[in-house]
Amino acid sequence: MFAYIARRLLLMIPTIFGILAISFIIVQFAPGGPVEHIMAQLQGLDTNATAHFSGGGNDISTTSNFSSTYRGAEGLDPKFVAELKKQFGFDKPPLTRFFLMVKNYLTFNFGKSYFKDVPVIQLIKERLPVSISLGLWMTLLSYMISIPLGIAKAVRDGSRFDIWTSSVVIVGYAIPSFLFAVLLIVLFCGGSFWQIFPLRGLTSENFSHLSLIGKIGDYLWHITLPVTAMTLGAFATVTFLTKNSFLDEVRKQYVTTARMKGLSERRILYGHVFRNAMMIVVAGFPGAFINAFFGSSLLIETIFSLNGLGLLSFEAIVNRDYPIVFANLYIFALLGLVVNLISDLTYTWIDPRIDFETREI
């Protein structure tokens, strides 16, 4: 087992390198980089635009207006454009910039944001609690609901309970989570009905002055509606996957043999079927967690004014803030690989017959 874990950890190195390399190549051909973004502002597309950016240790602030000394009838001063590229690091060849980025990332040195003038690692640390809260709670709650519900539906397949719960689950799956979020805001955030939960933020302004119990209560009070909106639209797939997996296992020969031996249905279900049926459910956990951690939380973060990594990454992509884009890509790739490894190791806990030592990678 330790040899397999070591091989998987070593395999992460070329995998992340490949992800960064492909993404870096794509970015090289993408139009409208940070230099072009600043140049567009200075050329009058936004007459009140102010850009603050940092490069090789020096900060430059530029404010554009029609009387700017850097803009004339034929464009910007070439010396200024060259200085602009130098500040962003684009004066170096692409290969040099890529390997310099990889070297820094090995020590989690992500540099500074182009437009926020703040270390990227600081921005990530500030946004990480929001993303962890949304992703972790949503994944745990959806699995805690889906697995028991899927088992109950499989045991009562074709009953009124199965039909009724299927209707509810399908409706939950059909309605996007952001629509649930809007509905919850209207109902419980003082829209047209009750004002029970806060509309924005992860904590209250007086959070630091609260007791430990008060902090926990305040945190749960703020996170209830966002997590509820995400969970309502997320548990349908796992529910039906669990049900179908159990039904498939129940029809197999070993279950018939167990019944002929006189074993109780409960022992058959949880002693034999559960272990085999849960394999496919566990296989989907990494994807569900990563999707909840980033993709699914973007609209929820926007609606509830939560500054998480999803919103940070989206804003960075729009603004071509490459240090933030690549740092988030690196972190999510690393997180995805680690969660995938944990998922594989969970197989051995569910089914000890699985032996990763003899598995070829």
Side-chain angles (χ1 to χ4, degrees):
M1 178 61 68
F2 290 106
Y4 173 76
I5 295 175
R7 292 198 301 269
R8 286 290 297 271
L9 291 175
L10 290 175
L11 189 61
M12 291 180 185
I13 298 174
T15 303
I16 294 181
F17 183 87
I19 292 173
L20 290 176
I22 294 173
S23 302
F24 188 85
I25 292 172
I26 293 174
V27 165
Q28 299 310 302
F29 293 98
V35 174
E36 289 78 7
H37 182 70
I38 296 296
M39 291 171 62
Q41 290 181 336
L42 295 176
Q43 286 175 325
L45 295 182
D46 182 358
T47 57
N48 294 317
T50 300
H52 188 88
F53 57 92
S54 59
N58 298 319
D59 294 341
I60 289 181
S61 295
T62 58
T63 303
S64 68
N65 50 63
F66 288 110
S67 62
S68 173
T69 58
Y70 299 119
R71 185 170 59 88
E74 297 181 0
L76 298 174
D77 187 341
K79 293 183 179 179
F80 173 75
V81 175
E83 181 66 22
L84 196 62
K85 291 182 178 180
K86 182 178 180 180
Q87 292 296 325
F88 280 115
F90 289 103
D91 58 324
K92 301 181 180 67
L95 198 61
T96 302
R97 287 190 281 117
F98 174 72
F99 282 105
L100 181 61
M101 179 184 71
V102 172
K103 177 184 176 182
N104 291 332
Y105 279 20
L106 291 176
T107 57
F108 289 90
N109 177 18
F110 301 122
K112 275 190 174 184
S113 166
Y114 284 158
F115 302 105
K116 295 180 182 295
D117 192 32
V118 176
V120 174
I121 192 66
Q122 179 180 332
L123 291 172
I124 293 175
K125 288 180 179 179
E126 292 174 355
R127 307 291 185 96
L128 196 59
V130 174
S131 295
I132 291 178
S133 296
L134 294 177
L136 186 61
W137 283 113
M138 177 265 203
T139 305
L140 290 177
L141 287 176
S142 62
Y143 268 72
M144 289 172 62
I145 296 172
S146 301
I147 293 176
L149 181 59
I151 295 174
K153 287 173 64 62
V155 172
R156 305 175 189 178
D157 184 40
S159 65
R160 294 179 62 182
F161 171 81
D162 181 37
I163 297 173
W164 178 80
T165 52
S166 293
S167 301
V168 175
V169 171
I170 290 173
V171 170
Y173 180 74
I175 301 177
S177 59
F178 73 89
L179 289 183
F180 277 124
V182 173
L183 176 62
L184 292 174
I185 287 175
V186 172
L187 291 177
F188 301 110
C189 293
S192 301
F193 296 90
W194 305 280
Q195 188 169 2
I196 301 175
F197 295 97
L199 181 60
R200 62 181 67 242
L202 191 63
T203 57
S204 301
E205 294 182 358
N206 63 335
F207 181 80
S208 60
H209 301 290
L210 298 175
S211 63
L212 178 61
I213 301 298
K215 288 181 179 179
I216 295 175
D218 183 75
Y219 165 76
L220 295 176
W221 182 48
H222 281 77
I223 207 68
T224 296
L225 293 189
V227 171
T228 300
M230 294 178 66
T231 304
L232 288 174
F235 70 91
T237 302
V238 181
T239 299
F240 285 119
L241 186 64
T242 304
K243 176 191 173 182
N244 294 333
S245 181
F246 268 79
L247 288 177
D248 184 60
E249 290 295 324
V250 166
R251 297 188 182 103
K252 291 184 177 179
Q253 184 62 42
Y254 74 89
V255 175
T256 303
T257 303
R259 286 171 176 164
M260 293 175 63
K261 290 181 179 180
L263 297 179
S264 64
E265 288 294 322
R266 183 177 181 85
R267 184 173 180 182
I268 293 173
L269 183 64
Y270 293 103
H272 296 79
V273 175
F274 182 85
R275 182 176 61 185
N276 297 322
M278 286 303 296
M279 296 298 295
I280 190 172
V281 178
V282 172
F285 180 83
F289 179 76
I290 297 301
N291 181 59
F293 197 70
F294 175 67
S296 298
S297 64
L298 175 57
L299 290 175
I300 299 299
E301 290 176 9
T302 304
I303 292 172
F304 288 97
S305 299
L306 298 171
N307 292 322
L309 290 180
L311 187 58
L312 177 66
S313 300
F314 176 75
E315 292 174 345
I317 292 172
V318 172
N319 295 323
R320 303 296 193 271
D321 201 339
Y322 293 149
I324 297 179
V325 173
F326 281 108
N328 279 314
L329 178 66
Y330 178 78
I331 290 174
F332 283 120
L334 184 61
L335 182 63
L337 292 171
V338 171
V339 172
N340 230 328
L341 175 59
I342 295 174
S343 176
D344 284 349
L345 297 179
T346 307
Y347 287 152
T348 61
W349 174 68
I350 296 176
D351 190 349
R353 295 173 297 177
I354 296 178
D355 183 13
F356 285 111
E357 292 289 346
T358 59
R359 179 178 172 180
E360 295 292 334
I361 298 182

